[in-house]
Amino acid sequence: MGFIKEFKEFAMKGNVMDMAVGVIIGGAFGKIVTSLVNDVLMPIISLCTGGIDFTNLFVNLSDDTKYATLAAAQEAGASVFAYGSFIQNIIDFIIIAFCIFLMIKGMNKLNRKKEEPEPEAPAGPTQEELLAEIRDLLKTK
């Protein structure tokens, strides 16, 4: 019975629940970034590079047959070196890392504003300064 109780305590800790929420939100955020890459950025990059579709860049390793697409080569059973998919994944990673960097930078900026203490009222004279002033007044009288 101790094992189940210990597991329940572990699973219900705040850190585990926060991590679970983070994983779920991360998965949804990943879908958004993937759509941004595939549907918005890659067409622009493809336009700038002369219409190159990175996902269809490959080298046929099995014979000299020319296939129009990677899917056609794979369907024919050809052994291929699909370096275009690797390039696509590198671009995805860079964009996702940049988006996460911007998100964390924004969150840190919001947290800094919360942590900044409110400005204190201007400090008056110290106790020693007041006592010295009283002493000087008494000397003049």
Side-chain angles (χ1 to χ4, degrees):
M1 207 57 170
F3 179 78
I4 294 173
K5 183 178 178 185
E6 187 177 342
F7 177 74
K8 182 179 175 185
E9 287 176 10
F10 167 77
M12 299 310 285
K13 282 185 180 177
N15 293 342
V16 174
M17 299 305 280
D18 291 344
M19 184 179 69
V21 170
V23 167
I24 292 168
I25 290 175
F29 183 72
K31 289 180 183 180
I32 291 169
V33 173
T34 300
S35 176
L36 172 72
V37 170
N38 293 337
D39 302 332
V40 177
L41 296 177
M42 288 312 290
I44 294 170
I45 292 171
S46 180
L47 182 66
C48 293
T49 59
I52 295 174
D53 180 11
F54 287 105
T55 57
N56 277 319
L57 296 177
F58 66 96
V59 174
N60 184 358
L61 300 175
S62 50
D63 55 27
D64 291 334
T65 307
K66 299 286 183 186
Y67 296 102
T69 64
L70 176 62
Q74 289 173 334
E75 188 176 305
S79 177
V80 295
F81 177 65
Y83 65 93
S85 296
F86 181 69
I87 292 171
Q88 176 72 36
N89 287 330
I90 289 172
I91 292 170
D92 286 352
F93 171 78
I94 290 169
I95 293 170
I96 289 169
F98 183 70
C99 290
I100 290 172
F101 168 75
L102 291 177
M103 185 176 70
I104 290 173
K105 186 173 177 152
M107 289 175 64
N108 287 341
K109 191 173 186 178
L110 290 174
N111 285 339
R112 259 188 255 126
K113 286 184 180 178
K114 272 195 239 175
E115 293 173 2
E116 287 180 11
E118 293 188 24
E120 295 179 14
T126 63
Q127 189 175 18
E128 288 80 17
E129 292 171 338
L130 288 173
L131 289 172
E133 198 174 312
I134 293 170
R135 181 195 66 212
D136 294 341
L137 287 172
L138 289 173
K139 278 185 183 180
T140 59
K141 288 187 180 184

